[in-house]
Amino acid sequence: MAPTRFDWRDVAAEALAGVVQRPMRSVLTMLGTVLGVGSFVAVLGLTSTAAGQIGDSFSLLQDTTVTVDDVGAAARGSDTFREPVMDFPAGADQRLDRLNGVVDAGVWWNVPLRNPTVSAQPDPGTGLAGADDSARSGLRVLAASPGALRAMQPTLSAGTLLNEFHQRHKERVCLLGVTAARLLGVTRVDNQPAVFVNGAAYTVLGVVSDTQRLPQSLLAVIIPADTALDAYGAPVDDPAQALIRTRTGAAPLVARQAPLALRPDHPGLLHAVPPTDPHKIRDRVDTDMSGLFLVLAAICLVVGAVGIANTTLVAVLERTGEIGLRRALGARRRHITAQFLTESTALGALGGLVGTAIGVAVVVGTALARDWTAVLEPYTVLPAPFIGVVIGLLAGLHPALRAARIEPLEALRR
């Protein structure tokens, strides 16, 4: 008797017939694999894309900004009867300017006034009362040294900045943020208008229309730091802060050196805050997002494997008579095993391909919707269909072996 021949074309044809014969069942069987592989591709793709946007959005402005906080009050402990003390020394601007990599630097704080009254009139109750009421309800009073103003990189719509002369002589002058100027009705400064802070007159030198740092200054009256110390004392509830603009790449070094340069006698009174490392943010996003959603992808893959195994097992039970007939006509155990393994592998492969396509579409669609650049790593996309193949192969192993153990005589009796 000639040996039984059953080549790969026969196996593929039988597997295709088994899949196409029950299309709805095959689609539902593939659904778990589609979801699992699609989630795998989409999660890794979206994670890479989001991490890439973090690197792009980490601007040069953030990379060149260092702040130094006055933490001396916390270090000394609370004392209700102790006079407020500012731990930044006189001449802080000059000390910071000597550091290598510093472009501009200075000190600023909120002037310690509770509910300050700011008006364009000597008496807020007269004249433009409505405008004054709306203005004094939301305006802040900030103290800033000339170096801090330069570090803010402000854009002036009129006038000039406060300078070292105004600081040294404790002049009663001010800058207005553009919103504060609009509320106070100040439209020009060439006629030397004045605003009144708790009744004290300050000549307006300029109007700040925009600023790269400290955006809160647009809704504020800014007076020289030494003028504020002389008139209102050191900050109380809101400690002072140094703002430093550095050259690119110099921020970490400046942050380490600034407290010692400002207070060599007690650097622990000041705490420098360097810009956040974008690589750390990217790594954190990768870890958090990948760890969370890959668990979901794994669950979907397990569900898909169970679905394929269940469907293949049901197919084996339904086709017991067919299997017995094939065995009686000369099919061997390995032929039956190969047939059912090929069916389950084909279902897994189709699910993997469809899931990969859906995952890629989700990543690209999300990137287009948010105006991002889609990032799809080859090691993520290319192996994804093979995940479906492996899932189908493993899921069909037990049903295929069970089909191969069916005896022809017992099968034909059923």
Side-chain angles (χ1 to χ4, degrees):
M1 179 183 287
T4 303
R5 304 184 63 134
F6 197 61
D7 62 19
W8 65 270
R9 286 180 295 232
D10 299 321
V11 174
E14 291 295 334
L16 181 61
V19 171
V20 175
Q21 189 176 6
R22 302 171 182 83
M24 186 54 64
R25 179 187 293 179
S26 298
V27 170
L28 294 176
T29 301
M30 290 188 301
L31 187 58
T33 306
V34 169
L35 292 175
V37 174
S39 300
F40 174 80
V41 174
V43 165
L44 294 183
L46 289 174
T47 300
S48 300
T49 301
Q53 305 319 305
I54 290 173
D56 293 339
S57 63
F58 190 82
S59 66
L60 183 64
L61 175 65
Q62 294 168 301
D63 192 34
T64 56
T65 302
V66 174
T67 58
V68 182
D69 298 324
D70 185 350
V71 295
R76 285 186 293 268
S78 60
D79 188 344
T80 306
F81 303 101
R82 180 179 292 152
E83 287 292 327
V85 175
M86 188 171 70
D87 295 299
F88 287 101
D93 294 24
Q94 292 73 24
R95 295 192 184 198
L96 291 172
D97 284 341
R98 297 191 193 105
L99 296 178
N100 187 27
V102 172
V103 178
D104 291 303
V107 180
W108 73 277
W109 66 90
N110 289 297
V111 174
L113 291 172
R114 294 188 180 276
N115 301 319
T117 300
V118 181
S119 173
Q121 303 292 330
D123 183 356
T126 63
L128 301 174
D132 292 337
D133 288 342
S134 63
R136 66 172 181 266
S137 64
L139 293 185
R140 308 169 67 177
V141 182
L142 303 182
S145 68
L149 291 173
R150 293 192 298 269
M152 289 164 50
Q153 292 184 271
T155 300
L156 293 176
S157 59
T160 184
L161 288 177
L162 308 176
N163 57 37
E164 281 74 8
F165 176 85
H166 305 122
Q167 171 87 340
R168 186 168 55 252
H169 292 277
K170 303 177 183 178
E171 296 286 322
R172 289 188 174 268
V173 293
C174 70
L175 294 177
L176 296 180
V178 62
T179 305
R182 184 169 62 251
L183 290 173
L184 292 168
V186 177
T187 57
R188 49 188 293 187
V189 298
D190 55 344
N191 57 349
Q192 295 185 328
V195 296
F196 297 84
V197 178
N198 285 2
Y202 289 85
T203 302
V204 180
L205 296 183
V207 176
V208 178
S209 61
D210 195 12
T211 179
Q212 297 295 310
R213 299 173 180 86
L214 297 185
Q216 61 266 43
S217 62
L218 299 179
L219 191 62
V221 177
I222 308 172
I223 63 178
D226 285 358
T227 302
L229 282 175
D230 183 62
Y232 308 107
V236 181
D237 298 324
D238 197 357
Q241 185 181 80
L243 179 65
I244 307 174
R245 176 188 169 203
T246 72
R247 295 186 180 90
T248 303
L253 176 63
V254 171
R256 290 194 298 270
Q257 295 178 343
L260 186 61
L262 289 167
R263 290 298 301 266
D265 58 328
H266 203 328
L269 296 176
L270 305 173
H271 174 66
V273 182
T276 304
D277 185 358
H279 299 292
K280 292 182 179 179
I281 299 178
R282 187 183 299 115
D283 293 342
R284 191 178 304 124
V285 170
D286 280 338
T287 302
D288 293 345
M289 291 185 65
S290 298
L292 177 63
F293 289 104
L294 284 180
V295 172
L296 176 61
I299 293 173
C300 291
L301 287 174
V302 171
V303 172
V306 172
I308 293 176
N310 182 65
T311 301
T312 306
L313 186 58
V314 170
V316 168
L317 297 177
E318 288 179 347
R319 296 160 65 183
T320 301
E322 175 192 335
I323 294 170
L325 181 59
R326 289 180 183 276
R327 292 294 310 277
L329 293 175
R332 298 182 179 180
R333 294 180 185 273
R334 68 173 182 272
H335 298 149
I336 302 299
T337 302
Q339 177 186 344
F340 283 95
L341 271 181
T342 305
E343 285 188 24
S344 64
T345 303
L347 288 173
L350 288 173
L353 288 171
V354 174
T356 301
I358 292 175
V360 171
V362 168
V363 174
V364 174
T366 303
L368 290 175
R370 295 182 173 272
D371 198 23
W372 289 354
T373 300
V375 179
L376 288 166
E377 301 290 350
Y379 64 81
T380 300
V381 178
L382 296 180
F386 295 100
I387 295 176
V389 172
V390 172
I391 292 296
L393 182 64
L394 295 177
L397 190 59
H398 171 68
L401 293 176
R402 178 168 178 171
R405 289 196 297 267
I406 295 176
E407 294 296 334
L409 185 58
E410 294 180 5
L412 292 174
R413 282 177 178 172
R414 297 183 183 181

